[in-house]
Amino acid sequence: MTRTTSAVARALERIERLDPALHAFIEVWPDEALAREREAVARRLPLGGRPFAVKGPSGIRSYAARRLIAAGGVPVGATSVPGPGTVWQTWGQGAHGRTVNPWRADRTPGGSSAGSAVAVAAGMAEAATGSDGAGSVRIPAAWCGVFGLKTTNGLLPSPDRTGLASAGVFARSAAAAEPYLRRVLGGGGPPHEAFGLPLPLPLPAVYSEDLGFAEVDLEVAAVVRAAVDRLVAAGTVRLLDRDAGLLDPAGAWTAVRGGSPDDPEAVRVRRANDERLDALLSGGALLLTPATPNRPHGHEGPGSRYSTALTWAFNLSGHPAASLPAGFTGDGCPVGLQVVAPRGGDLGLLAAARAVEDALPPAPTPPPPGHG
């Protein structure tokens, strides 16, 4: 008789085998994880012992992690994040060394939720928690070829006193993220029954390559545009003729992050962008953009281009936003499609993401380290 290996045991085996090359984890908790799994199964808790990873050394204490554990999720370890004082660094430092992109070890996985994205991409965890203050869920999700969702600012407790950061979740797909998001949002979001309800198609959406100000890598833009065209051809999306031009939020974000939210220029930019986004997303429309203006850069740094150029506007405005795998550049780097929904529309965003991924080719799994 063949004994079935548990989900947690499979996750721990993959961590032991793959993490010495990927460096996604700073701590792994095998004995505690297996004990939690047995308890979750015995008590028939909703998540039934599903394994997940937590972001950083304090991740086990986050609101999202506590909700998942209470529902029978099993934390298998803490993932890497950039260290203090690393202004541009978007990779973490795992127990075995510098965190690498599972698709190309010479490139960064993105950050700051670096290890969480790598753990999910490599199948070392079914899901992982993250937090997103400027794109820290969406950027690594895009660059590691997985699904990552930032919740509406203020919907859940923020790990950042400025309120710019909000909780997020990674998974291989929106469908795989649903059972975890169901539990995370269940305490402070809309009713559970809204999960799984299909949205009427086609979904009204606005596409913008650059939000009116960003300099976007031509190949990145082409990959995302091809994905959007496929969505239109499949009848999943109907593009609206609305102007998606925003004001560059870089200065406003920096002012708020620096403790000056009442800076007159920051107030002006935020007010103008809020008005434009309200018009763009009226009637429940979605906004589609590349998740990042660039492909994953090397570990030496990003150069002069901000990876956050297309994400941090929605930390200022508070809108929920997700990155879905859109395809690859010619040099083998994953590209993300960002989907933004009206404030508070987190469940609608998840349903829209599921419809989008149903119309796009399934996202591949990265090859084992050393075989790419």
Side-chain angles (χ1 to χ4, degrees):
M1 180 176 178
T2 302
R3 182 180 178 184
T4 302
T5 305
S6 73
V8 168
R10 290 194 299 271
L12 292 170
E13 185 277 328
R14 289 185 68 84
I15 293 170
E16 183 178 11
R17 178 162 48 90
L18 301 177
D19 200 51
L22 296 173
H23 314 160
F25 284 87
I26 55 175
E27 295 180 12
V28 183
W29 311 310
D31 294 339
E32 184 176 357
L34 290 169
R36 284 184 186 273
E37 182 185 37
R38 289 191 293 270
E39 180 183 6
V41 171
R43 294 176 59 193
R44 299 185 179 182
L45 295 175
L47 288 178
R50 288 174 180 259
F52 71 97
V54 299
K55 176 184 177 178
S58 63
I60 194 69
R61 299 191 297 274
S62 69
Y63 176 86
R66 296 198 311 270
R67 294 279 310 169
L68 293 174
I69 292 169
V74 176
V76 293
T79 59
S80 65
V81 294
T86 51
V87 176
W88 58 263
Q89 182 181 305
T90 59
W91 41 265
Q93 194 76 18
H96 302 286
R98 181 174 65 190
T99 311
V100 301
N101 191 301
W103 291 98
R104 285 194 52 165
D106 63 330
R107 304 292 176 93
T108 173
S112 60
S113 306
S116 286
V118 174
V120 168
M124 294 186 285
E126 289 186 4
T129 65
S131 58
D132 188 316
S136 289
V137 165
R138 290 160 288 162
I139 293 169
W143 286 354
C144 293
V146 299
F147 174 79
L149 183 145
K150 174 195 90 70
T151 56
T152 297
N153 291 58
L155 180 63
L156 303 174
S158 174
D160 178 9
R161 67 179 182 277
T162 68
L164 289 171
S166 55
V169 171
F170 294 89
R172 288 287 306 156
S173 65
E178 183 173 313
Y180 293 92
L181 280 167
R182 179 190 296 270
R183 311 317 308 183
V184 172
L185 294 175
H192 293 168
E193 288 73 17
F195 278 94
L197 294 180
L199 295 175
L201 303 180
L203 305 171
V206 179
Y207 173 68
S208 176
E209 175 183 303
D210 58 9
L211 292 177
F213 59 82
E215 294 183 15
V216 180
D217 179 300
L218 293 178
E219 193 174 359
V220 168
V223 170
V224 174
R225 181 72 222 202
V228 172
D229 289 344
R230 187 181 183 113
L231 295 175
V232 172
T236 303
V237 161
R238 172 175 58 89
L239 294 182
L240 305 176
D241 184 17
R242 295 179 182 176
D243 180 14
L246 301 181
L247 300 180
D248 188 341
W253 186 94
T254 301
V256 174
R257 189 70 180 88
S260 301
D262 298 325
D263 173 82
E265 180 61 12
V267 171
R268 183 188 73 84
V269 169
R270 295 185 76 179
R271 181 178 295 127
N273 281 351
D274 283 351
E275 291 173 354
R276 295 179 189 188
L277 286 168
D278 286 346
L280 273 179
L281 302 177
S282 63
L286 303 170
L287 174 59
L288 309 178
T289 78
T292 66
N294 51 349
R295 67 193 76 193
H297 54 73
H299 295 282
E300 73 282 354
S304 60
R305 179 174 287 167
Y306 280 111
S307 306
T308 55
L310 296 168
T311 52
W312 52 7
F314 310 110
N315 297 92
L316 282 170
S317 68
H319 291 80
S323 178
L324 291 83
F328 290 80
T329 56
D331 58 352
C333 293
V335 174
L337 166 66
Q338 180 173 224
V339 183
V340 184
R343 294 182 194 87
D346 299 62
L347 300 188
L349 173 59
L350 181 64
R354 293 196 62 168
V356 166
E357 69 185 16
D358 284 346
L360 296 177
T365 301
H371 292 75

